[in-house]
Amino acid sequence: MNVAATPSTVLDGFAFTECPRWHDGRLWFVDMHLNQVVSTDLGTTDTSVLDVPGSPGGIGWLPDGRLLVVMMDERRILRREDDKWVVHADLSTAVPTTLNDLAVDSAGRCFVGETGFDPHEYLSDPSDIDRVSSGEFECPSLSRLFVVETDGRYRESASGLAFANGIVIDDGTRQLFVAESFGARLSRYDMDESGALSNRLRLPLGFAPDGIGMDAWGHIWVSDVFGRAAQRVSSTGELLDRVSSRQLCLACTVGGASGNELMLCSSPSLDRTECLAKLESHIEMTTITPPARPENGE
């Protein structure tokens, strides 16, 4: 496995950066503790902030460009319409805990995961983190994925997940990947034209994943929170490359003008009070190259 240089900090002064996306020539991400959706042109000082009425999770866009954002505690997905937030889907009757990340396919369906339990209750001791990172942790409850149609109707699409977290969709191969933070693995699903998921394949990682993103070569970049790194993983689960972060690595995406910039969300802590006091959550960035060991020897 190739080990790359530590990235540089390109944005700072946030409380808890998460869920980064590269969209329309800009980096988008949320600040979960400041209740904001942020977008920036990394080449200039042009940064825009949208306030949201609660703690935001995953973000995505409908095919016509309208922005979606998860309201974690409210268990709703909001849509941006005429400079206002409206409810796109309300999952509050189906989800007893909180919603988490989101991904949108080319048809405009969004896939959203529930947490299933409060993770902070189980991360206070180093032995807990060891068990989570090794996949030996027994979840108090398992979580599900839901698929949400463009009209807001939703249905359960997958279950039995050990804390569903980051989600990416490869529209080319019709596959969906979801990080299972308390299972130390990714799960890969085949996705048909109706959005139904099948043929689950568990891909062990050996670390606790959080947010994930896909690069131009079809590989998955996975944030290794406690290892302070992002790791590139093939679609079959092979670890290919590793980039260290300066702080806890919460999430990652790939984009930039040439499609080869890896952008990381990092934070000094998982504690909300500490993060709000410090405002030291960052966006870090480094340039990546094709994997050292391309999949299938290509």
Side-chain angles (χ1 to χ4, degrees):
M1 181 172 64
N2 186 45
V3 179
T6 301
S8 59
T9 298
V10 293
L11 284 173
D12 58 17
F14 298 95
F16 203 74
T17 56
E18 257 279 15
C19 305
R21 312 283 192 262
W22 184 261
H23 175 75
D24 232 6
R26 296 174 69 87
L27 172 65
W28 295 69
F29 59 94
V30 305
D31 191 318
M32 287 185 173
H33 296 340
L34 295 182
N35 300 348
Q36 295 174 338
V37 178
V38 182
S39 73
T40 181
D41 179 349
L42 291 173
T44 69
T45 57
D46 178 19
T47 298
S48 299
V49 176
L50 294 172
D51 294 319
V52 292
S55 181
I59 56 177
W61 290 264
L62 295 172
D64 61 10
R66 288 176 294 172
L67 173 65
L68 302 176
V69 58
V70 170
M71 292 286 94
M72 300 178 71
D73 296 331
E74 293 80 4
R75 291 102 72 205
R76 294 187 177 99
I77 300 171
L78 301 185
R79 185 179 70 247
R80 193 70 173 171
E81 292 277 1
D82 299 323
D83 296 326
K84 296 181 180 179
W85 294 111
V86 300
V87 175
H88 183 72
D90 187 343
L91 286 75
S92 59
T93 58
V95 177
T97 53
T98 57
L99 291 178
N100 200 357
D101 210 348
L102 168 148
V104 184
D105 71 7
S106 58
R109 298 184 197 89
C110 56
F111 293 80
V112 61
E114 67 175 348
T115 57
F117 59 94
D118 183 354
H120 300 95
E121 295 181 9
Y122 303 94
L123 296 174
S124 59
D125 187 274
S127 64
D128 294 332
I129 295 174
D130 289 342
R131 288 188 296 127
V132 170
S133 299
S134 64
E136 297 175 355
F137 181 86
E138 292 187 15
C139 294
S141 60
L142 297 175
S143 62
R144 300 164 290 173
L145 292 184
F146 296 86
V147 57
V148 181
E149 301 293 341
T150 54
D151 62 3
R153 291 178 296 117
Y154 64 88
R155 63 186 184 276
E156 182 181 313
S157 57
S159 60
L161 297 164
F163 197 92
N165 212 318
I167 306 169
V168 295
I169 295 170
D170 187 337
D171 279 306
T173 62
R174 303 295 299 172
Q175 291 179 325
L176 178 146
F177 297 81
V178 56
E180 296 184 67
S181 293
F182 282 70
R185 63 180 176 242
L186 300 180
S187 274
R188 190 188 80 194
Y189 294 89
D190 294 331
M191 182 173 62
D192 70 16
E193 293 299 325
S194 72
L197 302 180
S198 62
N199 301 326
R200 178 184 182 185
L201 178 64
R202 296 168 177 83
L203 306 174
L205 296 171
F207 61 88
D210 196 331
I212 60 178
M214 180 171 287
D215 66 23
W217 300 278
H219 300 292
I220 312 301
W221 282 91
V222 184
S223 58
D224 177 359
V225 182
F226 304 113
R228 295 181 175 236
Q231 301 207 41
R232 176 154 44 188
V233 181
S234 76
S235 63
T236 56
E238 181 185 5
L239 298 179
L240 301 172
D241 296 289
R242 185 180 192 276
V243 173
S244 295
S245 59
R246 298 174 180 275
Q247 305 183 105
L248 300 177
C249 186
L250 307 175
C252 51
T253 193
V254 179
S258 300
N260 62 346
E261 302 294 342
L262 175 66
M263 289 156 277
L264 313 178
C265 293
S266 70
S267 179
S269 171
L270 298 179
D271 182 80
R272 177 186 175 89
T273 301
E274 181 180 349
C275 288
L276 283 168
K278 289 184 172 182
L279 294 181
E280 292 179 357
S281 190
H282 299 163
I283 298 294
E284 303 178 23
M285 187 169 72
T286 190
T287 301
I288 58 173
T289 58
R293 293 182 57 195
E295 194 171 4
N296 298 324
E298 299 176 356

